[in-house]
Every structure is written in structure tokens, then in C-alpha cells.
């Protein structure tokens, strides 16, 4: 039996990238043989809500309550997030980057 995983996209209303981020998260999970994991979406509306999560800007991809792309950038501010990708800065990581992040997390 596989370990249960919790996948969540933390996002704010004003950031347009959360839907595509979730789609890439789902694709990465399928690539890892974890198509059984449902990606949940959590809208953060207040700084208090953001402060109680692993939020580091929208969208933040969280696996088992930990940011898949940890940085010193954790924030309670309701702001968009920027990721470094092979093609430059972007509002979401690539699917391959998400697969790599899941692999790193599973090896811990």
C-alpha cells in the first residue's frame, strides 16, 4: 500500500496562475505514479489564514503540509509568487520541476 499524500495549492484570488499550477501538480503526481492523489485548492483570503500555512506567495504547492519549493520567502502577505525555471522567472514551476521536488521530498 502506498503512503497517503496530501497535495494542496495555496492561492489568492488576485493571482492567475493557481489553476495551471494545480494542473501541473496533478500531471507531476501522475508521472510519479501517484494519480491516486487529489490536488486540493485552498483560497487564502486574509493574512491570518496565510500565516497559519506554508504560504510563500500564490501559488504555493504543498505536499504533506510542506512547501515543495522551500525558501526564505514564507509570507503572510497576500501576494503572487515567482519561481526560477529553466526559461527564466515565471509564476509557476514547470511540471518537470514539480516532479523533481516530489522526488526530493519522497527521499527525505
Amino acid at each position: 500500500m502506498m503512503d497517503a499524500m496530501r497535495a494542496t495549492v495555496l492561492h489568492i484570488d488576485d493571482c492567475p496562475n493557481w489553476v495551471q499550477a494545480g494542473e501541473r501538480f496533478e500531471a507531476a503526481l501522475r508521472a510519479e505514479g501517484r494519480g491516486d492523489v487529489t490536488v486540493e485548492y485552498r483560497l487564502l483570503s486574509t493574512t491570518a489564514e496565510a500565516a497559519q500555512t506554508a504560504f510563500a506567495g500564490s501559488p504555493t504547492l504543498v505536499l504533506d503540509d510542506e512547501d515543495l519549493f522551500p525558501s526564505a520567502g514564507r509570507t503572510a502577505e497576500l501576494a503572487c509568487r515567482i519561481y526560477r525555471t529553466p526559461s527564466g522567472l515565471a509564476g509557476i514551476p514547470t511540471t518537470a520541476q514539480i516532479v523533481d521536488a516530489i522526488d526530493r521530498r519522497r527521499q527525505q
Side-chain angles (χ1 to χ4, degrees):
M1 183 172 132
M2 290 189 180
D3 294 338
M5 292 176 121
R6 287 184 325 281
T8 308
V9 176
L10 302 175
H11 68 93
I12 61 173
D13 251 349
D14 292 340
C15 206
N17 298 313
W18 63 272
V19 173
Q20 190 175 14
E23 291 168 352
R24 289 184 183 181
F25 204 175
E26 289 172 356
L29 287 163
R30 283 193 306 274
E32 288 290 291
R34 294 306 309 258
D36 61 310
V37 177
T38 300
V39 175
E40 297 175 5
Y41 298 87
R42 182 169 173 200
L43 173 64
L44 302 175
S45 302
T46 67
T47 55
E49 285 178 326
Q52 295 172 354
T53 68
F55 191 64
S58 180
T60 296
L61 307 180
V62 178
L63 189 62
D64 296 331
D65 298 322
E66 291 188 36
D67 186 348
L68 271 180
F69 297 89
S71 70
R74 188 169 170 184
T75 182
E77 296 299 318
L78 301 179
C80 291
R81 184 170 182 176
I82 300 295
Y83 292 88
R84 293 187 190 281
T85 71
S87 58
L89 298 178
I92 49 177
T94 66
T95 302
Q97 286 178 300
I98 299 169
V99 168
D100 290 345
I102 292 169
D103 282 343
R104 282 192 304 275
R105 185 60 43 87
R106 291 172 84 180
Q107 292 171 13
Q108 291 179 348

